[in-house]
């Protein structure tokens, strides 16, 4: 069973993603509320996939993405963006993110991205 690290500073957003993934038989490797926690938990749990919020305190999602990829070039990271963050999404894709999903999350769109990236 594939494991996913969920990263978002909003616990409600983490809960939504977690609900979609667990209903589709994914394991939750852990949850992080900022970019530094994401980097630390990635190293600790070595998940198969990460869903990464962009805007977070302390360390944002793009900085965390870059740090994770520097240490683990094969890491699979899907960015979670809000409306109006297109330029940050492009930065993230150029930095090595595999795909992105837009809030508010729709289960079918989340699973499309996850299956594409995992496949
Ligand atoms: Mg956020």
């Amino acid at each position: 069973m594939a494991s996913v690290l969920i990263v978002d500073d909003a616990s409600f957003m983490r809960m939504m993603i977690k609900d979609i993934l667990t209903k589709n038989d994914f394991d939750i490797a852990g949850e992080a509320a900022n970019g530094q926690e994401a980097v630390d938990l990635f190293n600790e749990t070595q998940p198969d996939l990460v869903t990464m919020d962009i805007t977070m305190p302390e360390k944002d999602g793009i900085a965390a993405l870059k740090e994770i990829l520097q240490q683990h070039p094969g890491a699979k990271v899907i960015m979670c963006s809000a409306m109006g963050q297109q330029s940050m999404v492009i930065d993230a894709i150029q930095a090595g993110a595999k795909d992105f999903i837009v809030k508010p999350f729709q289960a079918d769109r989340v699973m499309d991205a996850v299956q594409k990236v995992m496949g």
Side-chain angles (χ1 to χ4, degrees), residues 8-10 13 53-57 80 85 103:
D8 201 302
D9 58 324
M13 289 295 173
D53 184 27
I54 291 180
T55 309
M56 294 183 289
C80 305
Q85 294 188 321
K103 299 173 191 179

Side-chain angles (χ1 to χ4, degrees), residues 4-8 13-14 16-18 20-21 49-54 77-86 89 92-93 97-117:
V4 186
L5 171 61
I6 299 172
V7 185
D8 201 302
M13 289 295 173
R14 295 198 305 273
M16 281 191 66
I17 293 253
K18 187 177 174 173
I20 293 166
L21 291 170
L49 181 70
V50 182
T51 64
M52 180 78 78
D53 184 27
I54 291 180
V77 181
I78 295 173
M79 304 307 288
C80 305
S81 76
M83 295 292 192
Q85 294 188 321
Q86 288 90 339
V89 169
I93 299 289
K98 302 287 187 203
D99 204 352
F100 67 96
I101 47 181
V102 180
K103 299 173 191 179
F105 299 124
Q106 289 170 293
D108 55 347
R109 178 67 187 98
V110 171
M111 290 317 298
D112 278 354
V114 166
Q115 261 137 19
K116 187 187 112 190
V117 169

